[in-house]
Structures are given as structure tokens and as C-alpha cells.
């Protein structure tokens, strides 16, 4: 599992790329081994995910009768949702990358997206904590949540632009394929798995 210094090195490279410096890509390990190791980002995100899950649990219980109890199965279903949201978009952009003949660039996209998930997971976790303990700030925090989503879309599009070149249509399509299905999938799976807040 990559250590804190290594993850920080990768995130520093991504920050360079987001700022428009292609040299930041050289700080990412896009070898076959690096591709597989980038999925350790899921483990790095687990503490942040856990915080978000407890907020989701509180939100779920708020819409249920007062004697409702949720246990480990609820969190297992949330974990299944997280895994689907992580893997399915990567498969979709893989299919698109294959159709567009992007070849090895797909490795770079996966590595970049996986490690980019780490800082955003913790940013969302902070917002979840605030929503949990300061519900009176919901309006303001919703605006911050929206700004964070816009920041995620902007960051991904900047990274894809450096990886794929200045092709606005291709970059926009890849970005939307990564973001939009996740939103649709989340809503569908939340209802299917019975974890949608009533």
C-alpha cells in the first residue's frame, strides 16, 4: 500500500496538471503496477467514506419511524454502492477510450482519477460532519457542496485535457461519462438497495 509521502507526491503531480503543467504527469506511476496500485486509493478514502456513511445513516433515519434501527447490513449496502460508483465509471471511460483509440492514455486517466478521489473524499467528509453536527447551516453547506462538485468536474476536465490534448469535445465527453453515470447509478442503487432517505 502506498504510504503518505507517496500519495502526497502523486497529489502534488495532479495539482500541477490541474494548473496546466503537463510535467505533473511524470509524478504519476502509469505502469501496469502503478495502475493496480492506484486502487489503493479506495483504502485511503475509507475513513472519509465512513464519516459520509454515518451522515447518510442519520439522514436515512430522519425520514423513518423513531424505532427504526439500522445495522451492519446498511453499511454493507453503502459499501456496495461506493464500489459500484468507483468501478462502473472507470469501465465506461475505458470503453470510450477504446472506441476513440486512446490506448495507453486510459492508464493515465485511471491513475489520475483514482488518486484525485482522495482529497475530494475528505472534503466531502468534512461537509458531511458539518451537516451532521450543524444542520442549521444546511443552506450554506449545500452551496459549498455544489461548489465542490463544480471543482471536481473542473479538475477532471483539466486533467483529461492534459492527457488527451486540446480537444474540447473529447474532454467534455470523457468528463461527463465519468460524472453523470455515477449520479444516475447512485440514485438507482440507493432505491434498489433500500438505503434512500425517505
Amino acid at each position: 500500500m502506498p504510504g503518505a509521502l507517496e500519495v502526497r507526491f502523486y497529489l502534488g503531480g495532479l495539482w500541477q496538471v490541474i494548473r496546466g503543467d503537463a510535467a505533473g504527469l511524470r509524478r504519476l506511476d502509469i505502469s501496469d503496477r502503478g495502475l493496480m496500485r492506484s486502487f489503493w486509493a479506495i483504502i485511503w478514502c475509507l475513513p472519509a467514506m465512513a464519516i459520509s456513511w454515518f451522515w447518510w445513516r442519520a439522514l436515512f433515519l430522519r425520514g423513518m419511524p423513531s424505532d427504526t434501527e439500522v445495522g451492519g447490513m446498511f453499511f454493507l449496502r453503502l459499501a456496495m454502492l461506493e464500489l459500484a460508483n468507483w468501478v462502473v465509471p472507470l469501465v465506461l471511460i475505458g470503453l470510450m477510450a477504446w472506441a476513440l483509440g486512446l490506448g495507453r492514455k486510459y492508464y493515465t486517466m485511471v491513475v489520475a482519477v483514482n488518486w484525485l478521489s482522495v482529497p475530494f473524499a475528505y472534503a466531502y467528509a468534512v461537509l458531511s460532519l458539518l451537516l451532521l453536527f450543524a444542520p442549521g447551516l444546511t443552506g450554506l453547506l449545500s452551496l459549498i457542496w455544489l461548489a465542490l462538485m463544480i471543482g471536481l468536474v473542473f479538475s477532471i476536465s483539466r486533467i483529461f485535457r492534459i492527457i488527451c490534448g486540446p480537444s474540447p469535445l473529447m474532454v467534455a465527453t470523457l468528463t461527463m461519462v465519468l460524472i453523470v453515470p455515477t449520479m444516475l447509478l447512485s440514485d438507482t442503487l440507493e432505491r434498489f438497495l433500500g438505503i434512500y432517505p425517505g
Side-chain angles (χ1 to χ4, degrees):
M1 177 175 169
L5 288 178
E6 186 176 351
V7 174
R8 184 177 177 183
F9 183 76
Y10 294 149
L11 294 182
L14 286 176
W15 178 239
Q16 279 184 259
V17 175
I18 292 168
R19 289 166 49 202
D21 183 1
L25 290 177
R26 292 199 291 270
R27 299 176 66 173
L28 301 178
D29 182 357
I30 57 172
S31 64
D32 292 346
R33 178 174 178 270
L35 175 71
M36 298 309 298
R37 292 182 83 237
S38 72
F39 285 94
W40 281 107
I42 298 173
I43 304 302
W44 272 94
C45 289
L46 273 180
M49 288 179 189
I51 292 170
S52 298
W53 294 350
F54 278 107
W55 167 71
W56 193 258
R57 176 182 178 275
L59 190 65
F60 178 81
L61 289 175
R62 197 177 301 165
M64 303 296 287
S66 58
D67 59 343
T68 301
E69 294 183 5
V70 294
M73 187 57 68
F74 181 83
F75 293 107
L76 178 61
R77 290 172 179 174
L78 280 174
M80 291 167 59
L81 175 65
E82 291 282 2
L83 186 61
N85 281 340
W86 199 298
V87 174
V88 171
L90 294 180
V91 171
L92 292 177
I93 64 168
L95 293 172
M96 179 155 288
W98 173 76
L100 295 173
L102 294 176
R104 193 75 177 185
K105 291 180 179 179
Y106 174 62
Y107 275 34
T108 311
M109 286 188 279
V110 172
V111 171
V113 168
N114 280 346
W115 290 121
L116 185 67
S117 299
V118 176
F120 278 94
Y122 282 91
Y124 281 119
V126 170
L127 281 178
S128 296
L129 277 177
L130 291 173
L131 284 165
L132 191 60
F133 293 109
L137 298 176
T138 299
L140 174 62
L141 295 175
S142 296
L143 290 176
I144 297 173
W145 201 289
L146 177 61
L148 195 56
M149 174 60 73
I150 293 171
L152 176 62
V153 172
F154 174 78
S155 299
I156 291 172
S157 64
R158 292 283 289 179
I159 290 168
F160 283 179
R161 184 181 184 278
I162 295 293
I163 294 172
C164 302
S167 176
L169 182 59
M170 182 186 295
V171 169
T173 301
L174 287 168
T175 303
M176 290 301 102
V177 165
L178 192 68
I179 298 294
V180 174
T182 302
M183 297 168 66
L184 298 175
L185 184 66
S186 288
D187 187 68
T188 302
L189 283 180
E190 283 163 10
R191 295 176 188 277
F192 177 74
L193 294 171
I195 54 175
Y196 189 82

